[in-house]
């Protein structure tokens, strides 16, 4: 799939307006953007916003978008994350073509730029300890103090920097700093660190380096090296923009990309930072990065979200310059709308109650034809077996029902979807008084579900033939956190807000037999229950395990959660 296939004309947000102006004024003739993940975790729905933006504006303008791994912190980064990120970006429907880059590919270049800065008197080796450096840096209200090492000669700095690279000093004992302004109102400009000493094996460069460039220094230069035109990032980098510009201006790089900030995505009922998601994984609150309750791309995929629904979501929320928290219901609506149109229907009984149809011949079986979609005949139909014993949902029967209960009750008649009208004659109980089974009788003349005499039957139940049922595990999910903003109080661990009931496993569900061949790329509406898909990890051939993707309606559904 190419990015071109799913670009639609969008109303122009502030970034698209800037880009359109740059093209019409001749400032740029092409658009080159980049998505720059750090391979220290899996991508989440927030990253999807950045991916859709960067790949989107590039393709809308026939430009290119680079996938660049920002791999400057070997102690936290892994090759496995690189592969997972590539899988996720491609799955979302975006194609970086030949434009796959790694900041680590620029380590040599970055080193020579640093040497240049030293020669210009714009960078120096500093021996302050991290604690001392913090004290010297000052605060938001007080200026910093110059480091005693600030006025080393370029020659001395060059020698020391070379020695740093050669591994002659201990980790953390020295750094290379930019020489900017210790009294700047912007703390990022108070002689920020450019290089640190760190003996850690890098996932690509191995042990070649024991000094690593810092993010702020690496990012702007990587953008410049790749001739990025518009460097789109989240708001927290606005205060770093003067440094971004300082590095490129001081080095007079031939290309000086424009950094533009937009608000990051926050969603209700979840946390979004990789550091926090990693805690949930490591401390086993979830089964992994791709746990279907996680708002990671891989979690959403496993949950049953489609790439189109995530792209629609990113279009829907738009771009803003102020942070806000988007309601999870907006995301759920996007997948619900997609699946409502595109998911075939199926019948599944999650909490089964046996029904014996006493006047249906014991050795008889029949195949009923049911449309796969109520509004789309192109989706065809399927046959579903029917016999004397069926399962209905426990919730669809009440012994002593209120007036408006239109489901089954003693003496009441209901429609079995696409099958027959049945009336409940007898309730069979076990020795403890629990309902074990219902005895019903059917109207043989009502095949297909309507009575020949036109009598009105309000309730329609889904059902599954007991003889043919596929017994399966179905996993129901609720929100991972039980408050809208789990990070609301900085003094309270966000994990105290985890919802202890976010996963419910139902292992005795009875499904229509057609579902035995379902695979993880399939999606279904289980009639009257919600949308479901086979789990990509735990399903076996012929024995799928189903995940609940989303409820049928925009309410945290009462049918499922009793
Ligand atoms: P996190 O805060 O989750 O650790 P990050 O910013 O450290 O995320 P990166 O891998 O550095 O993660 O992010 C890659 C790109 O994705 C960056 O350009 C970043 O601005 C963007 N991004 C990250 N989180 C969000 C978000 N919630 N909304 C929009 N863009 C995001
Ligand atoms: Mg980051």
């Amino acid at each position: 799939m190419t990015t071109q296939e799913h670009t639609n004309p969008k109303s122009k947000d502030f970034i698209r307006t800037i880009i359109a102006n740059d093209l019409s004024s001749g400032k740029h003739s092409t658009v080159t953007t980049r998505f720059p993940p750090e391979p220290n975790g899996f991508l989440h729905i927030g990253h999807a916003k950045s991916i859709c933006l960067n790949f989107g504006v590039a393709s809308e303008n026939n430009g290119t978008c680079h996938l660049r791994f920002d791999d400057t912190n070997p102690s936290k980064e892994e090759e496995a994350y690189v592969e997972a990120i590539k899988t996720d970006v491609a799955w979302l429907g975006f194609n970086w073509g030949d434009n796959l880059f790694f900041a680590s590919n620029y380590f040599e270049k970055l080193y020579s730029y640093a040497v240049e800065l030293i020669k210009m008197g714009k960078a120096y080796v500093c021996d302050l300890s991290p604690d001392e450096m913090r004290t010297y840096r000052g605060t938001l209200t007080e200026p910093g103090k110059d480091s005693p090492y600030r006025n080393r000669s370029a020659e001395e700095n060059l020698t020391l920097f070379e020695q740093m690279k050669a591994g002659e000093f201990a980790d953390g004992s020295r750094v290379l700093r930019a020489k900017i302004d210790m009294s700047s109102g912007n703390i990022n400009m108070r002689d920020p660190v450019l290089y640190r000493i760190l003996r850690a094996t890098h996932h690509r460069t191995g042990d070649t380096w024991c000094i690593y460039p810092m993010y702020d220094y690496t990012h702007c230069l990587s953008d410049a090296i790749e001739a990025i035109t518009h460097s789109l990032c989240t708001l927290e980098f606005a205060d770093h923009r003067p440094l971004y510009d300082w590095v490129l201006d001081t080095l007079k790089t031939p290309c000086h990309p424009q950094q533009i900030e937009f608000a990051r995505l926050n969603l209700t009922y979840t946390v979004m930072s990789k550091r926090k998601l990693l805690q949930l994984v490591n401390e086993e609150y979830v089964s992994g990065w791709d746990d279907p309750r996680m708002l990671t791309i891989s979690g959403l995929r496993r949950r049953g979200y489609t790439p189109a629904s995530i792209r629609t979501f990113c279009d829907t929320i738009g771009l803003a310059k102020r942070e806000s928290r988007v309601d999870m219901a907006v995301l759920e609506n996007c997948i619900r709308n997609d699946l409502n149109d595109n998911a075939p229907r199926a019948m599944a009984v999650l909490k089964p109650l046996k029904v014996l149809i006493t006047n249906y011949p014991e050795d008889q079986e029949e195949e009923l034809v049911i449309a796969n979609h109520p509004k789309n005949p192109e989706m065809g139909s399927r046959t579903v077996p029917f016999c004397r014993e069926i399962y209905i949902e426990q919730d669809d029967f009440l012994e002593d029902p209120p007036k408006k209960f239109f489901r089954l009750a003693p003496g009441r008649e209901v429609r079995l979807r696409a099958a027959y009208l049945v009336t409940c004659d007898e309730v069979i109980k076990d020795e403890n008084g629990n309902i074990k089974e219902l005895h019903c009788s059917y109207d043989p003349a009502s095949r297909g579900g309507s009575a020949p005499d036109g009598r009105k039957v309000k309730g329609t139940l889904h059902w599954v033939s007991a003889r043919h049922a596929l017994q399966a595990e179905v996993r129901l999910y609720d929100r991972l956190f039980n408050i809208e903003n789990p990070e609301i109080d900085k003094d309270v661990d966000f994990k105290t807000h985890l919802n202890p009931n976010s996963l419910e496993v139902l292992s005795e569900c009875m499904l229509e037999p057609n579902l035995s061949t379902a695979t993880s790329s399939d999606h279904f509406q289980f009639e009257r229950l919600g949308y479901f898909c086979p789990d990509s990890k735990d399903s076996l051939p012929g024995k799928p395990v189903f995940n609940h993707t989303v409820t049928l309606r925009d309410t945290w559904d009462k049918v499922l959660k009793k």
Side-chain angles (χ1 to χ4, degrees):
M1 205 191 302
T2 68
T3 47
Q4 271 77 7
E5 278 172 36
H6 41 71
T7 54
N8 43 17
K10 295 189 179 77
S11 59
K12 283 202 173 41
D13 50 64
F14 75 100
I15 290 183
R16 287 179 167 86
T17 304
I18 293 173
I19 291 176
N21 291 342
D22 287 350
L23 289 172
S24 64
S25 72
K27 180 177 174 191
H28 292 297
S29 54
T30 57
V31 173
T32 308
T33 55
R34 83 290 168 268
F35 172 63
E38 185 183 348
N40 62 349
F42 281 52
L43 298 181
H44 51 60
I45 184 77
H47 293 113
K49 174 175 178 177
S50 175
I51 293 169
C52 289
L53 172 66
N54 279 293
F55 280 92
V57 294
S59 80
E60 288 155 32
N61 293 291
N62 295 316
T64 31
C65 179
H66 299 182
L67 175 60
R68 182 203 312 141
F69 286 95
D70 214 324
D71 54 351
T72 53
N73 187 3
S75 52
K76 290 192 177 152
E77 293 161 4
E78 288 173 24
E79 194 59 30
Y81 292 137
V82 170
E83 289 312 312
I85 289 170
K86 280 157 70 177
T87 301
D88 288 348
V89 175
W91 178 78
L92 278 174
F94 298 105
N95 182 358
W96 55 87
D98 296 332
N99 299 303
L100 175 65
F101 300 101
F102 292 84
S104 55
N105 286 357
Y106 310 136
F107 281 172
E108 279 296 342
K109 267 190 195 163
L110 297 173
Y111 181 79
S112 45
Y113 275 128
V115 168
E116 230 179 285
L117 286 175
I118 295 173
K119 287 182 181 160
M120 293 159 94
K122 297 288 186 187
Y124 62 98
V125 172
C126 180
D127 306 356
L128 290 179
S129 71
D131 277 345
E132 289 169 325
M133 209 141 80
R134 216 164 294 130
T135 321
Y136 274 76
R137 190 179 295 129
T139 63
L140 283 173
T141 48
E142 280 170 40
K145 274 194 314 194
D146 284 1
S147 158
Y149 305 99
R150 198 171 198 262
N151 292 317
R152 278 176 164 155
S153 69
E155 234 164 51
E156 188 185 358
N157 281 319
L158 280 177
T159 311
L160 285 170
F161 190 46
E162 240 167 66
Q163 288 175 311
M164 276 170 65
K165 181 185 181 222
E168 292 179 23
F169 307 124
D171 284 13
S173 61
R174 289 189 158 95
V175 292
L176 182 73
R177 297 176 72 174
K179 192 170 178 176
I180 308 180
D181 179 5
M182 287 308 291
S183 62
S184 171
N186 182 340
I187 291 185
N188 294 299
M189 299 298 272
R190 295 184 190 167
D191 293 8
V193 174
L194 305 180
Y195 270 88
R196 69 224 152 110
I197 305 172
L198 177 68
R199 283 168 181 81
T201 305
H202 188 279
H203 72 114
R204 290 178 64 86
T205 58
D207 296 319
T208 309
W209 296 87
C210 66
I211 55 170
Y212 288 96
M214 301 302 286
Y215 174 85
D216 277 334
Y217 173 72
T218 308
H219 196 77
C220 53
L221 285 168
S222 304
D223 281 351
I225 291 166
E226 291 174 22
I228 299 300
T229 55
H230 300 87
S231 179
L232 313 178
C233 62
T234 34
L235 286 179
E236 69 272 21
F237 292 103
D239 286 347
H240 298 237
R241 180 160 21 99
L243 177 56
Y244 185 106
D245 290 332
W246 182 90
V247 172
L248 300 188
D249 285 339
T250 307
L251 286 165
K252 298 192 175 58
T253 50
C255 164
H256 190 138
Q258 180 184 0
Q259 175 178 310
I260 310 170
E261 306 89 18
F262 61 94
R264 61 170 45 230
L265 168 67
N266 300 302
L267 262 187
T268 56
Y269 298 102
T270 191
V271 293
M272 204 69 97
S273 109
K274 279 186 281 190
R275 193 176 53 78
K276 289 183 176 157
L277 296 175
L278 182 63
Q279 269 184 57
L280 296 178
V281 173
N282 285 345
E283 295 166 29
E284 299 185 4
Y285 290 100
V286 293
S287 65
W289 284 98
D290 63 353
D291 186 298
R293 291 166 294 177
M294 293 273 272
L295 272 289
T296 51
I297 306 297
S298 49
L300 289 165
R301 173 164 65 237
R302 195 168 160 199
R303 179 79 175 259
Y305 276 71
T306 59
S309 68
I310 297 176
R311 293 194 304 260
T312 304
F313 171 71
C314 293
D315 281 353
T316 307
I317 56 174
L319 284 185
K321 291 188 208 179
R322 276 232 327 256
E323 294 247 348
S324 63
R325 195 168 277 270
V326 174
D327 195 328
M328 180 82 91
V330 178
L331 177 64
E332 290 165 348
N333 250 325
C334 292
I335 185 62
R336 182 181 297 114
N337 291 340
D338 181 349
L339 296 179
N340 184 32
D341 289 345
N342 300 311
R345 276 45 175 169
M347 290 200 287
V349 175
L350 301 188
K351 295 178 182 166
L353 171 61
K354 186 91 155 274
V355 173
L356 182 72
I357 304 168
T358 49
N359 61 337
Y360 193 93
E362 185 165 2
D363 51 1
Q364 186 172 309
E365 287 181 9
E366 55 191 304
E367 297 277 339
L368 299 166
V369 178
I370 307 185
N372 287 330
H373 195 284
K375 295 209 181 108
N376 184 356
E378 280 175 20
M379 288 175 74
S381 60
R382 67 194 190 284
T383 58
V384 177
F386 185 83
C387 72
R388 190 174 197 246
E389 295 120 47
I390 59 162
Y391 292 111
I392 64 167
E393 214 68 63
Q394 286 168 16
D395 289 351
D396 281 338
F397 176 79
L398 272 186
E399 208 172 3
D400 190 13
K403 228 184 172 156
K404 295 241 156 146
F405 185 79
F406 297 118
R407 297 177 241 169
L408 203 57
R412 290 206 189 165
E413 187 173 40
V414 293
R415 177 180 302 100
L416 295 177
R417 168 98 172 89
Y420 292 98
L421 299 176
V422 294
T423 304
C424 177
D425 304 317
E426 201 182 341
V427 183
I428 314 294
K429 295 186 178 171
D430 64 16
E431 60 273 20
N432 300 320
N434 298 317
I435 300 174
K436 218 172 78 178
E437 176 173 317
L438 303 178
H439 285 185
C440 293
S441 50
Y442 85 121
D443 176 355
S446 65
R447 193 173 198 270
S450 49
D453 61 2
R455 69 180 183 275
K456 287 238 171 356
V457 175
K458 261 202 167 164
T460 300
L461 310 187
H462 60 277
W463 54 272
V464 168
S465 159
R467 250 178 240 168
H468 306 90
L470 169 71
Q471 189 178 332
E473 177 176 315
V474 176
R475 299 170 182 171
L476 305 182
Y477 302 104
D478 200 341
R479 285 157 183 173
L480 192 50
F481 291 90
N482 47 27
I483 61 168
E484 285 203 0
N485 180 2
E487 294 156 301
I488 194 156
D489 186 345
K490 300 250 173 309
D491 299 328
V492 177
D493 186 339
F494 71 101
K495 296 192 298 281
T496 55
H497 302 299
L498 277 163
N499 172 5
N501 305 313
S502 58
L503 169 66
E504 184 184 357
V505 177
L506 302 173
S507 53
E508 315 242 303
C509 304
M510 297 294 175
L511 278 43
E512 69 168 71
N514 297 309
L515 291 169
S516 67
T517 54
T519 64
S520 62
S521 56
D522 291 325
H523 304 266
F524 298 93
Q525 183 195 94
F526 287 176
E527 292 201 31
R528 301 176 62 233
L529 296 174
Y531 295 95
F532 293 81
C533 78
D535 187 74
S536 54
K537 273 200 171 155
D538 299 332
S539 295
L540 296 171
K543 195 119 188 69
V545 168
F546 279 88
N547 288 325
H548 181 215
T549 309
V550 70
T551 53
L552 282 183
R553 283 170 298 278
D554 186 5
T555 55
W556 211 228
D557 208 359
K558 302 295 175 281
V559 176
L560 288 168
K561 300 275 158 193
K562 281 247 152 144

